[in-house]
Amino acid sequence: ASTIKEQCEESDKAELQKIVDNFLEDIQVLNLSLNQRLESIEKIIQRKKEYEQDSEGLLNWIREIEAVMSTNVKTSSIQILEEQMRKYEGILKEAEKKGYVLNAVEEKAESLMDHLSEVDRLNLSCQVKNLSDKYNLLVLKLKERFNGIAENIKQLKSSQKQISEYTQFILSIQ
């Protein structure tokens, strides 16, 4: 620009300087816009990473609990059943905390939706729905198992009480 300015007539130098100033101003505006877009993209990428980490962590937890539940202890020992009940009670408390993780996953997925194509939105929506369905089904199974163990304990205690009463009755007859 300075070389052209030297070769310019005096009357055109002001016009040339105005053009150069406008050009430099446009470059600054473009630079600012580019930086804002990069910052926005970085935030989206960060949210996507958080979504993936949280959803993968929740899915791993679901798989782990499903593996724990696949072993079904059948026993008539009240102590073992009470131990199982405490175990499931702990898992249910943990599941409640994981419910907050699921909510966070859903919120992060929702925040990503505006930045995705229609196909990707549908895909993400399906992923979140599947994760939510797996979680809800697992919690339902956990509650059923917990209630089943509680019912077994109740029946065993009732049976033991009846056996004790019958034993006392038989001993009193003899």
Side-chain angles (χ1 to χ4, degrees), residues 76-174:
S76 59
S77 167
I78 291 177
Q79 290 174 322
I80 293 174
L81 287 173
E82 286 175 337
E83 182 181 311
Q84 286 291 307
M85 195 166 153
R86 283 190 298 275
K87 177 176 138 183
Y88 279 98
E89 187 175 34
I91 293 172
L92 280 167
K93 286 179 183 176
E94 192 177 347
E96 187 177 326
K97 292 176 187 174
K98 295 296 181 179
Y100 295 112
V101 174
L102 178 62
N103 290 339
V105 166
E106 290 169 341
E107 288 173 10
K108 288 171 187 167
E110 189 62 37
S111 74
L112 292 171
M113 291 290 187
D114 294 337
H115 309 286
L116 299 174
S117 68
E118 191 61 35
V119 172
D120 290 337
R121 272 187 226 147
L122 185 60
N123 196 6
L124 181 61
S125 180
C126 286
Q127 287 176 2
V128 172
K129 185 180 180 330
N130 288 339
L131 185 62
S132 180
D133 289 348
K134 282 183 179 191
Y135 170 80
N136 290 326
L137 181 62
L138 180 69
V139 169
L140 182 65
K141 287 179 180 178
L142 282 168
K143 288 178 180 178
E144 286 175 355
R145 182 75 57 94
F146 179 81
N147 291 335
I149 292 171
E151 185 61 32
N152 286 344
I153 291 172
K154 183 178 168 185
Q155 287 175 356
L156 281 172
K157 285 184 177 181
S158 175
S159 295
Q160 284 180 347
K161 182 179 175 188
Q162 284 179 341
I163 290 171
S164 176
E165 288 173 359
Y166 292 149
T167 305
Q168 290 298 326
F169 178 71
I170 291 172
L171 290 176
S172 69
I173 293 176
Q174 294 177 349

